[in-house]
Amino acid sequence: MDRVTTPGGVRARARVLAHGDGRGGTVLPVLQGEGPLAVRRTRGSGAEARVMLVGAMSGPLGGDHFTVTAEAARGARLRIGSAAATLALPGQDKAGARYDVQLTVGDDAELHWLPEQLISAHDSDLHVTTRVDLAAEARLVLREEQVLGRSGEEPGRLTSRLTVRIAGRCVLDQELACGPGAPGGWDGPAGLAGHRAVGQLVVVRPEFAADPPAARTFAEGVAVMPLAGPAALVTAVAPDALLLRRLLEEASDTLG
């Protein structure tokens, strides 16, 4: 599809729908993208279907609004990544940009949402919302990574909200605000403490209901916390994106 432009910036949507094929595999009846949100299927593994978000243009810029919707219906095994980091940039429109993600996972379905880092460039203003709705017997691995500024520059303003619901019950609702105009203390000892990379990993597995992970400090700057449901949250801060990714991957391995 061609991109849709308005005086307020670019409006673009991507949609992915996966469901089990009844023979142990996964099919993708819906794979749609427009403008800067190109969607491509890549080689899967076993029952898993793999999809890549490919940035077809720079953005989001000021005034842009991107929306990604993905659903793993009953029996599906779906992994979604991105071909490159998302770079939030200032635009001619002084309004902030938005990036909304809506994920849905059905019973006996599994979704891995593993995009590359989101980089908040100087003078940008981006608001990200990620909402996840899971059935009682759904599985999820979700990773979010934010990098504040490119090398040697101050960050833009970034607000990121993550909400996770399991069987209609909210188990996580948190918001992170960083950069110019964010509430005071975001970079202090109780916040990022001078680090410029921050990430979250959410793992949902039905077996956690009977055997939840223990709350612990996994490594310096990394904490593992069981949620009020069959889920666990890993939060990490690091001086750079490379170390952040390694810490999150190591913590993920400990959760199985």
Side-chain angles (χ1 to χ4, degrees), residues 131-142:
R131 297 183 176 91
V132 189
D133 286 288
L134 300 106
E137 298 299 316
R139 294 172 176 268
L140 173 76
V141 177
L142 178 148

Side-chain angles (χ1 to χ4, degrees), residues 46-252:
E48 183 182 76
R50 296 189 178 186
V51 172
M52 193 72 68
L53 293 173
V54 181
M57 56 184 286
S58 298
L61 308 178
D64 291 352
H65 189 175
F66 297 171
T67 304
V68 176
T69 303
E71 179 179 358
R74 179 179 289 273
R77 303 290 182 267
L78 176 62
R79 180 183 295 260
I80 301 178
S82 60
T86 297
L87 180 60
L89 294 166
Q92 292 182 345
D93 193 314
K94 297 303 181 182
R98 292 189 60 88
Y99 200 130
D100 296 327
V101 177
Q102 176 67 58
L103 308 175
T104 305
V105 191
D107 279 321
D108 189 32
E110 183 169 347
L111 173 63
H112 289 226
W113 174 257
L114 303 170
E116 294 301 309
Q117 296 93 352
L118 168 62
I119 302 172
S120 174
H122 182 59
D123 278 343
S124 66
D125 185 356
L126 178 63
H127 190 102
V128 181
T129 61
T130 303
R131 297 183 176 91
V132 189
D133 286 288
L134 300 106
E137 298 299 316
R139 294 172 176 268
L140 173 76
V141 177
L142 178 148
R143 184 186 68 217
E144 289 188 339
E145 298 167 310
Q146 294 94 22
V147 179
L148 306 181
R150 292 168 292 191
S151 178
E153 75 173 3
E154 291 298 310
R157 180 171 182 174
L158 174 64
T159 304
S160 177
R161 185 166 185 174
L162 172 61
T163 305
V164 179
R165 299 178 185 274
I166 302 175
R169 179 188 182 191
C170 184
V171 301
L172 177 65
D173 190 354
Q174 69 174 24
E175 183 170 284
L176 173 69
C178 305
W186 68 269
D187 200 23
L192 301 189
H195 294 92
R196 284 297 176 262
V198 58
Q200 298 77 232
L201 179 76
V202 180
V203 179
V204 178
R205 291 183 175 157
E207 54 266 32
F208 284 171
D211 186 19
R216 66 190 189 279
T217 301
F218 172 74
E220 184 177 355
V222 187
V224 179
M225 180 181 298
L227 300 177
L233 170 68
V234 179
T235 302
V237 294
D240 57 60
L242 185 63
L243 179 58
L244 177 69
R245 174 66 59 85
R246 181 170 66 81
L247 291 171
L248 290 176
E249 288 181 345
E250 290 177 355
S252 178

